[in-house]
Amino acid sequence: MEYMEGIIYPDSMLPGVAPSKRRAIYFSTAKTLAAIHRVDVNAIGLQKYGRRDNYCKRQVERWEKQYLASTGEGKPARYQRMLDLARWLKENVPEEDSSAGAGTGLVHGDFRADNLVFHPTEDRVIGVIDWELSTLGNQMCDVAYSCLPYIIDATLSERTSYGGFQHTGIPDGIPQLEEYLSVYCSFSARPWPAANWKFYVAFSLFRGASIYAGVYHRWTMGNASGGERAKFAGRIANTMVDCACDFINREHVLQKQPSMGFQVSAAPWQEFGREQEGSISTKDQGKFVPSEKVMHLRKKLMKFIEDHIYPMESEFYKLAQSTSRWTIHPEEETLKALAKKEGLWNLFIPLDSAARARKLLFEDGSLVSPGSSNDLLLGAGLTNLEYGYLCEIMGRSVWAPQIFNCAAPDTGNMEVLLRYGTKEQQKQWLVPLLEGKIRSGFAMTEPQVASSDATNIECSISRQGDFYVINGRKWWTSGAMDPRCKILILMGKTDFSAPKHKQQSMILVDINTPGVQIKRPLLVFGFDDAPHGHAEIVFENVRVPVTNILLGEGRGFEIAQGRLGPGRLHHCMRLIGAAERGMGLMVERALSRTAFGKRIAQHGSFLSDLAKCRIELEQARLLVLEAADQLDRHGNKKARGILAMAKVAAPNMALKVLDMAMQVHGAAGVSTDTVLSHLWATARTLRIADGPDEVHLGTIAKLELQRARL
Ligand SMILES: Cc1cc2nc3c(=O)[nH]c(=O)nc-3n(C[C@H](O)[C@H](O)[C@H](O)COP(=O)(O)OP(=O)(O)OC[C@H]3O[C@@H](n4cnc5c(N)ncnc54)[C@H](O)[C@@H]3O)c2cc1C
């Protein structure tokens, strides 16, 4: 046991808690119970903690005895229906109770809302208290007991009705009983409990009644621990008995199968796992089967995002919509430190680029980055294909990539410095970028010319002695509004008279150089993407040292090719993740919302649209993985056709899936109350940014025609 700082929700209706949080709280409760039930008691030395078999039989006898001891002559009145109930229970103990096999193990014994401690800011259980009644035995008793709020409201107070959610209506956001049970079944790998549900619920009410009868008895003697509220315990005890008797007499208590379009199969845990991972698995053999190492990182990333980033999203948005929007949320830096500690850092760096930087920067031992191992700074030694499986996960939240130091445009800029930077340029700019201490921008696009054709760029870079002087206007320089942005890679012309593809150069510009004027942040469908932003910037007689040129004058196109290949693919990978998130939210909504008498998930039109989304998503994923594989094996130039295909397919697919997800959410979908609209807006820009669709389609068609001519 240890002290845990957290929240306890004493009322299972969760008054004052937002609906989305209520849902998360209930699902976390179900997962926690499943986790307790999955504990291998032998492995932790608890095999002798109790007898596993005949748990219910023994429990009914024990609680009947307790009841008899708390009621009768000279004590509170004994209720005949309670004794009838005990008899019914003894006669109806499920057969499975007599064995010590599946479904038996660690039992908490008092698993209810106010025995759970939740994280102070995230909706997940961090502690389970009050293990006084724990033992080994039939775990379905815990499950039914945890479902009692649906059947009865047993809070101690003076009321006439004690109906549970099934009587009063489910508070907004709290899942249906069926959903709650499905989550439990999925996470515990237990079959759907319909067969003996009547018994387990009746037993839970019986046990509750016996406990309350004891509380009431102690109150009559003046020593109840619950204070004055204990005076209501007698009445609740009898209400529980009545409720159990009614329950037993009901024809239907739980659907035979979980409906709502999902089936709990023989191995629901595995099913759930597969769903969570999309089509990715290491179990099979084939071309796109990630290694154990990659799968390990993937799971770690997923957990990190679920545990640390999803719960912070609304906080990040709140700051980004406030008057302090252009500042960094302190938690962002904390999470970066945590990600680094967990080895989830700079994963985008391809093997070959890491090798060059390692040689230039670290081999002579002159440069050791304080607090971080050099190997960590240069990523995990992954190929583009391997990174594909990970980058996808980061795409699920617009806030995630930067936490792992894998956000655009920093990744592309680091890639340029890794591949083409001199030792001095690397020391000055690459190292702090790798460490996540500064951020960067890429300034190519100009408002006055069609910038999808970079030969149009007009910004001039002219040499004057030991300096280059830069004049021009750029816009959509992403990340330049970020207070941590210190360096820009600028593309401009060093020689207007040279052959078309030799006029351009790239140069490093310290954002604080005199003459760099940030004019305004641009908005994407109203999103300014604070605190990073997309800036319009004027460069007026900006003087930078000649040593800031990258690779040499006239080499801008050469660098652009190197920068854009992996960078483009990273966008595609993230779009797969954004679409996966959309799918998840869409399904969750469709399963929980009722329109015209049935769940949205039960309407035929939804099912066919959902299936089509899944088909398109899987198609796009395969294309993206294939492109990454070809990039690894053949390089940028040879892989340009498939890269172009992925770049067209991924945003179009993501837009379709996210649009459908928004549709299922109704008006909420187009609001900023869900992440969908922001993910959609970002996906829409990627039909333009990093080259419009038409340019990529042109590349694909050109290659196709060339092939026909060969
Ligand atoms: C959110 C966002 C972030 C961005 N971040 C950056 C950044 O960090 N740095 C940066 O430099 N730029 C950035 N950009 C700019 C982006 O790269 C350019 O918008 C893109 O290259 C297109 O250039 P353009 O806007 O000048 O469109 P134009 O070149 O004017 O093209 C407009 C349209 O013309 C059509 N077209 C163009 N070429 C063809 C063709 N060959 N065949 C048929 N039709 C064609 C297409 O429909 C195209 O959409 C960003 C843009 C957005 C929206």
Side-chain angles (χ1 to χ4, degrees), residues 59-109:
Q59 284 277 306
V60 175
E61 286 162 4
R62 173 184 165 186
W63 290 109
E64 186 185 25
K65 263 192 210 144
Q66 287 283 114
Y67 182 75
L68 293 173
S70 317
T71 56
E73 224 180 303
K75 297 177 190 168
R78 192 166 285 163
Y79 191 29
Q80 181 56 39
R81 281 190 106 184
M82 178 70 168
L83 306 181
D84 298 342
L85 178 59
R87 196 176 56 249
W88 183 90
L89 288 168
K90 281 184 219 162
E91 287 166 6
N92 288 279
V93 174
E95 233 179 270
E96 64 201 18
D97 190 61
S98 60
S99 93
T104 67
L106 193 56
V107 171
H108 178 273

Side-chain angles (χ1 to χ4, degrees), residues 409 442-446 449-453 475-478 524 529 534 685 687-692 694-695:
F442 181 68
M444 182 194 75
T445 304
E446 298 176 359
V449 292
S451 302
S452 51
D453 174 2
W475 73 343
W476 293 102
T477 303
S478 298
V524 175
D529 290 335
H534 313 280
T685 68
R687 286 195 55 214
I688 297 170
D690 257 1
E694 292 86 345
V695 173

